[in-house]
Amino acid sequence: GNSVTQMEGPVTLSEEAFLTINCTYTATGYPSLFWYVQYPGEGLQLLLKATKADDKGSNKGFEATYRKETTSFHLEKGSVQVSDSAVYFCALSGRTGGFKTIFGAGTRLFVKA
Amino acid sequence: DVKVTQSSRYLVKRTGEKVFLECVQDMDHENMFWYRQDPGLGLRLIYFSYDVKMKEKGDIPEGYSVSREKKERFSLILESASTNQTSMYLCASSLGQVAYEQYFGPGTRLTVT
């Protein structure tokens, strides 16, 4: 069945550092891919998404490119801020998964001033 | 501004009690979901609903039931709470299925003693 694997955390960075959070997936067909972010005390909210191969999703300085050849959707940001401290979830949904959204385990990011 | 609300942020119940968690969305979404979130496990789908009075089991439905009598409201019921149901419960809604984002409530942290 469909699955998502993302790098374990926590990830600790200094402000203005470069961020990469790795995400790989297993799915048949052509799923849609998402990154969600959960700030402390809140529910998840969509950060960005991509619906087909080679699409790049972007929002708030974050980017991720749908790479079908490597089944990956890594999240990147060029310069993180303290306010980016949160838990990040990679997710996918596709027809072959019965339309359900499958979430990764989440990666906690701490950014130090 | 879209909104998903959950009836309680924190709840403490005793083993064996019947527990109701309520979720309301104001976006006229067809689809609603209940997840539980546990450290290292990400989000796991308990039940979902694609229409009023319709429900489908997710990945971990045992010990739970749901009710959707109105489009905007989706209730999760723990028939007889147990300590292994101590968790964060997240409700979400979406307009469609594949490629549609889910909108999450703030979560209910349930402790069963």
Side-chain angles (χ1 to χ4, degrees), chain B residues 4-46:
Chain B
V4 178
T5 57
Q6 297 184 228
S7 49
S8 306
R9 295 298 299 269
Y10 300 93
L11 211 50
V12 179
K13 295 292 182 181
R14 294 193 180 276
T15 301
E17 279 193 80
K18 191 167 187 175
V19 181
F20 294 86
L21 303 182
E22 304 285 339
C23 175
V24 178
Q25 50 96 2
D26 65 358
M27 297 164 282
D28 202 35
H29 283 172
E30 300 289 336
N31 310 298
M32 296 189 75
F33 309 84
W34 275 107
Y35 296 92
R36 63 177 283 176
Q37 181 181 10
D38 300 288
L41 296 177
L43 275 68
R44 292 180 292 169
L45 183 63
I46 304 172

Side-chain angles (χ1 to χ4, degrees), chain A residues 32 34 36 38 41-44 46 49 51 89 93-95 98-101 103-105, chain B residues 9 35 37 40-43 45 48 50 58-59 90 97-102 104-106:
Chain A
S32 295
F34 306 82
Y36 284 84
Q38 185 178 33
E42 298 183 12
L44 280 70
L46 181 70
K49 73 177 186 182
T51 57
F89 292 90
S93 73
R95 286 179 172 79
F99 302 105
K100 291 186 287 186
T101 299
F103 290 87
Chain B
R9 295 298 299 269
Y35 296 92
Q37 181 181 10
L41 296 177
L43 275 68
L45 183 63
F48 57 103
Y50 289 145
D59 299 316
L90 292 169
Q97 296 174 12
V98 177
Y100 286 88
E101 70 174 286
Q102 294 188 13
F104 284 82

Side-chain angles (χ1 to χ4, degrees), chain A residues 83-99:
Chain A
S83 57
D84 293 327
S85 298
V87 182
Y88 292 82
F89 292 90
C90 185
L92 70 80
S93 73
R95 286 179 172 79
T96 56
F99 302 105

